[in-house]
Amino acid sequence: MMGLSWVAFALQLGSVPLPACPFDRATYADRAGAGYSMRIESAGRTTLVRVSSASTGATYTFSVVHGEGYSATHLQPWPAQEHTVGVPMPIYALDADLAVLGDFPRPDAQAPRYLFAPELGQTLWYEAEPLGGPPLAKQREELPRSLFELTRCD
């Protein structure tokens, strides 16, 4: 198992290539420091993104829907449910130079340095409760639009 310290050290150096880490074993943290993380997992042929909130303790699970051609790869609630999110949630994989990768990684591919889901914060702000989070009247999720950076490989 690769520890947090090695990955964090490599990220601080910037020019050092990341150690091998399969995408479905990667964990990312939001660079804004808002206390959100993304854990990537596999469920058969489905890639799952589990977004956890330190402030509410909630975890939201989405599946990755790979775009074909010029359609964007996006997130959708998982397991499929009656509730569908009102805003499309594209997700992008970026390399260390912040270039968008042409193909979103499959579970056994190398984990990219960054992930960016620009509409995730809006979705969690307005739709956290039907996605399994706390009642909106009690506490809202406040995820700013930011990159998620690879911080761990399990």
Side-chain angles (χ1 to χ4, degrees):
M1 177 188 329
M2 189 177 349
L4 174 63
S5 60
W6 167 244
V7 174
F9 176 74
L11 292 172
Q12 291 297 320
L13 294 178
S15 61
V16 173
L18 288 173
C21 178
F23 188 46
D24 65 353
R25 292 178 43 206
T27 299
Y28 295 79
D30 74 281
R31 289 190 46 116
Y36 290 85
S37 64
M38 284 185 177
R39 168 101 175 102
I40 312 302
E41 299 175 7
S42 292
R45 295 178 45 170
T46 302
T47 303
L48 300 178
V49 176
R50 297 193 193 275
V51 179
S52 296
S53 166
S55 64
T56 66
T59 297
Y60 306 92
T61 304
F62 302 94
S63 64
V64 174
V65 179
H66 291 272
E68 294 185 22
Y70 279 101
S71 62
T73 298
H74 63 277
L75 300 175
Q76 69 180 18
W78 189 86
Q81 50 191 268
E82 283 184 30
H83 176 77
T84 57
V85 294
V87 175
M89 290 190 300
I91 185 166
Y92 305 96
L94 295 89
D95 66 16
D97 296 322
L98 299 178
V100 176
L101 301 178
D103 293 319
F104 197 82
R106 301 291 177 171
D108 60 347
Q110 171 64 33
R113 175 73 58 100
Y114 302 104
L115 295 177
F116 184 49
E119 305 307 326
L120 181 59
Q122 179 180 351
T123 297
L124 295 181
W125 175 262
Y126 289 110
E127 304 184 57
E129 187 174 359
L131 294 172
L136 297 179
K138 291 187 176 184
Q139 184 174 9
R140 287 190 183 257
E141 296 289 1
E142 296 186 47
L143 171 60
R145 215 172 246 147
S146 73
L147 291 173
F148 280 76
E149 185 171 14
L150 179 63
T151 56
R152 185 177 182 100
C153 185
D154 294 321

